[in-house]
Amino acid sequence: MKVLGIETSCDETSAAVADGPRRVLSNVIHTQIAQHQPYGGVVPEVAARSHVERLPGIVEEAMRRAAAGWDGLDAVAVTSGPGLATSLLVGVAAAKAFAIRTGRPLISVHHLDGHLYSVFLDPAFPEPLRGAEGLALLVSGGHTSLVRIRDGRRAGLLGATLDDAAGEALDKGAKLMGLGYPGGPAVEKTAAGGDRDRHAFPRGLGPGTQNAPCGGMRRDLCFSFSGLKTALLYHLRGHPEDLDPARGLPHLAASYQEAVVDALIARVRRAADLTRPAFLACAGGVARNRRLREKLGMFAASAGLPLMLAPPEFCTDNAGMIAAAAAAGLGTPVDPPGALEIRPTWPLPVEEGA
Amino acid sequence: MRVLGIELSSPRGSVALLRDDEVVREIVWDEAPRDSRRAFDALATILREGGVAAADIDLFAAGRGPGNYSGMRVALTAAMALAMPGGRPFHAVDSGAALADAVFQETAADDVLVAGDARRGRCWHASFHRAHDGSAVAVTPWALCDAADLAARVHPAGVGASSDWERLAAAASLPGARGAWIERSVHPSAAAVARRALARWRAGEPSEPLTPLYLHPPVAAAACDARIAAAPGTA
């Protein structure tokens, strides 16, 4: 089954062709980082304009690299949410038109299901574990969630961030430290060689947040990063000398990054204790962070759990994961194609009893 | 020669199927920018009623504005995607010129100022002249002006027109202002967009740029500078 996938939920314009659920023939991504860098974050209007301009060439290139003729396609898949409305609109309009033009079914895919499925695109994923119950950490610039996996698909949401996503916290922290955008790689690079224990930053949802609404999720499986960003802001007001690149900045960046990673690991550990998964998985843009990978590895080893990380090329937003997820049956066919609506806000259902 | 046109830049959306210069069917609806689903419903209906498949279309055309951003993007992206398999030609068309075509069909004026509310106290506008064949030819490029200066830009012997008359009239205080205005909305149509694309294609001319006609930068420069300057730690 050959599927053309399209992904424009935020600031990456991507098209891909998957041949079945495990083989991605092409995965073309145009990242808009350079266009958003002057603003220190993603500007929706800049993103939408870029998608319109870039998408035709990206689709043509994906089809060329896959050596897949239009007649050889079996379906068209697209991320219909969650994401930026003006960005989603472009990819969804294109996908609808491709489906109408080719007479192939249109499949709507939840962006996070795509990320979740990306861990199964690792050729080294052990066969016996594909149907097993796992625990996944989805961590990116827009999302931070703990999800239970069963039979290769989402079984339920266990926890999620109540405010900023982890990647967003890294972006905002990087901005406060003057490190530029995107923040995750900038913080990671600056933190190299820094003392991770030099500064004590909060790990989120401390004792003062007992009554924070958690949307039906267990509070101890939820994340909060807004206090971390504020703590950094106040720290810098009192200690501006820590922005000195030669002296304080590496320690500051390392301590800040450690707080983000620790907050993630603590919830993963709790969720693993509760759900007793057969394997641990991590996907999303922040899954490329080396410190996070290292600490996840340490925890997985101590717990005796296989750790499955999304291949780096499928960590950032990409259409390969969308096309493959659709081929694996994770999406929803929409008939007629024109009926598909974008869903900028599309929360995952909370697992009952979690 | 079958031509399919899509026009979504104004409050009134439309999709049209032409066989050569003849309009086989055109579907028109209101509230276009808020309801892109209608565009695809209309597209499916037109193809079904016209007894043709999308693969049978020889030329695709879409209005590129100026106007509603989401409408322009959906129209251009959809037409591009319809044209790509099989490598069919796709033309983007100035929606203001299509609106001017409508004005020249409805009135005896030989000059029209097409304008719209660009918000923030500004208006977008361009002037068109009636050509020998009755079609509109741009005589000024698209530009922004202060709302207070808009009325003075109407040609002394011409008229002003907008696809969102009430909004423009309120923004630019037009009723009673100097110059003649068509005091109701006049819309660019998908049929006019398709006709203009066909004429250009027949003449062997390339498409206009395949991008929406934006008259504002994506981020207001002053706002951008202020945000960057306000970011702590930013040099």
Side-chain angles (χ1 to χ4, degrees):
Chain A
M1 179 185 186
K2 282 201 177 77
V3 180
L4 168 66
I6 294 173
E7 156 68 46
T8 62
S9 64
C10 189
D11 62 334
E12 261 97 22
T13 313
S14 182
V17 178
D19 186 6
R22 298 192 192 180
R23 190 165 169 239
V24 176
L25 300 175
S26 64
N27 189 26
V28 183
I29 305 167
H30 168 71
T31 180
Q32 303 172 5
I33 286 174
Q35 291 163 270
H36 298 284
Q37 251 165 354
Y39 313 111
V42 175
V43 180
E45 181 57 24
V46 172
R49 291 185 183 197
S50 182
H51 287 313
V52 174
E53 197 172 316
R54 293 282 184 168
L55 188 58
I58 296 289
V59 172
E60 283 179 331
E61 182 62 14
M63 292 295 290
R64 190 189 66 77
R65 287 190 197 173
W70 289 96
D71 290 342
L73 290 179
D74 297 295
V76 178
V78 66
T79 301
S80 56
L84 298 172
T86 48
S87 287
L88 290 165
L89 197 64
V90 178
V92 167
K96 287 179 182 180
F98 281 129
I100 290 169
R101 172 66 177 80
T102 59
R104 303 298 191 270
L106 178 65
I107 300 171
S108 160
V109 178
H110 192 295
H111 179 71
L112 293 185
D113 279 339
H115 273 305
L116 194 64
Y117 190 75
S118 66
V119 299
F120 294 98
L121 290 173
D122 183 349
F125 199 104
E127 283 304 317
L129 288 183
R130 285 187 180 270
E133 192 164 290
L135 172 66
L137 173 65
L138 298 180
V139 61
S140 69
H143 311 277
T144 301
S145 308
L146 276 169
V147 180
R148 197 200 296 260
I149 303 173
R150 194 176 296 127
D151 291 328
R153 61 182 61 216
R154 160 172 50 95
L157 179 69
L158 298 168
T161 184
L162 303 180
D163 39 58
D164 293 346
E168 196 177 355
L170 290 166
D171 282 343
K172 289 176 176 174
K175 196 168 184 176
L176 290 169
M177 290 185 270
L179 299 178
Y181 174 85
V187 170
E188 184 173 3
K189 185 178 176 187
T190 307
D195 177 2
R196 296 188 286 259
D197 300 322
R198 180 69 59 92
H199 307 287
F201 287 115
R203 268 57 175 164
L205 289 176
T209 61
Q210 293 295 339
N211 296 321
C214 297
M217 297 174 285
R218 283 181 61 122
R219 184 176 168 283
D220 60 356
L221 296 183
C222 289
F223 308 86
S224 170
F225 293 103
S226 61
L228 170 61
K229 170 195 65 188
T230 306
L232 176 61
L233 178 67
Y234 285 135
H235 177 86
L236 285 172
R237 283 183 185 165
H239 303 279
E241 69 279 6
D242 281 343
L243 288 174
D244 180 352
R247 300 171 63 189
L249 195 54
H251 308 310
L252 193 64
S255 301
Y256 189 83
Q257 177 178 255
E258 195 69 3
V260 173
V261 171
D262 272 356
L264 296 170
I265 297 294
R267 275 71 171 183
V268 168
R269 179 180 289 116
R270 248 174 247 137
D273 286 346
L274 284 166
T275 61
R276 300 288 172 192
F279 66 93
L280 194 60
C282 184
V286 182
R288 296 176 77 161
N289 181 282
R290 284 190 292 273
R291 182 61 180 157
L292 175 59
R293 287 184 172 233
E294 182 185 0
K295 292 199 84 165
L296 275 173
M298 289 160 57
F299 165 68
S302 70
L305 290 172
L307 174 62
M308 307 313 302
L309 299 168
E313 67 269 30
F314 296 115
C315 279
T316 54
D317 289 349
N318 68 92
M321 66 187 189
I322 301 301
L330 268 62
T332 306
V334 181
D335 187 25
L340 177 60
E341 305 271 12
I342 59 166
R343 293 186 68 178
T345 303
W346 190 355
L348 296 175
V350 176
E351 183 169 325
E352 285 183 25
Chain B
M1 182 80 183
R2 294 187 179 98
V3 188
L4 186 89
I6 306 173
E7 167 53 50
L8 304 174
S9 69
S10 87
R12 181 165 295 168
S14 53
V15 176
L17 176 65
L18 273 65
R19 192 182 301 267
D20 295 321
D21 295 293
E22 181 194 348
V23 178
V24 176
R25 178 89 158 90
E26 184 171 35
I27 296 177
V28 176
W29 69 97
D30 289 329
E31 300 291 328
R34 292 184 197 166
D35 190 2
S36 73
R37 178 177 173 170
R38 291 287 299 275
F40 290 94
D41 289 345
L43 172 64
T45 301
I46 278 219
L47 293 174
R48 187 177 63 250
E49 292 181 357
V52 295
D56 299 328
I57 303 296
D58 302 297
L59 172 66
F60 293 89
R64 61 188 292 249
N68 181 273
Y69 284 9
S70 292
M72 299 186 310
R73 288 170 186 150
V74 169
L76 283 168
T77 303
M80 171 280 297
L82 289 165
M84 187 183 292
R88 297 297 160 86
F90 159 45
H91 274 237
V93 173
D94 184 327
S95 303
L99 190 158
D101 285 343
V103 172
F104 292 144
Q105 280 183 355
E106 292 180 18
T107 72
D110 287 327
D111 290 278
V112 60
L113 181 81
V114 176
D117 175 24
R119 303 180 194 275
R120 306 167 201 164
R122 309 276 281 168
C123 292
W124 46 263
H125 62 88
S127 294
F128 295 86
H129 184 71
R130 184 194 295 266
H132 294 304
D133 64 357
S135 67
V137 177
V139 291
T140 65
W142 289 105
L144 291 172
C145 71
D146 287 339
D149 298 336
L150 182 67
R153 294 176 184 274
V154 178
H155 189 283
V159 295
S162 173
S163 61
D164 199 343
W165 163 251
E166 288 188 6
R167 189 174 134 194
L168 179 69
S173 304
L174 288 180
R178 190 172 72 81
W181 287 85
I182 299 176
E183 297 192 4
R184 59 180 169 75
S185 294
V186 182
H187 302 280
S189 72
V193 164
R195 276 202 190 95
R196 294 189 74 87
L198 180 58
R200 199 160 173 132
W201 183 82
R202 279 175 173 157
E205 294 174 17
S207 170
E208 295 177 35
L210 302 174
T211 51
L213 264 163
Y214 299 112
L215 293 173
H216 280 301
V219 181
C224 167
D225 292 344
R227 282 181 58 184
I228 291 172
T234 304

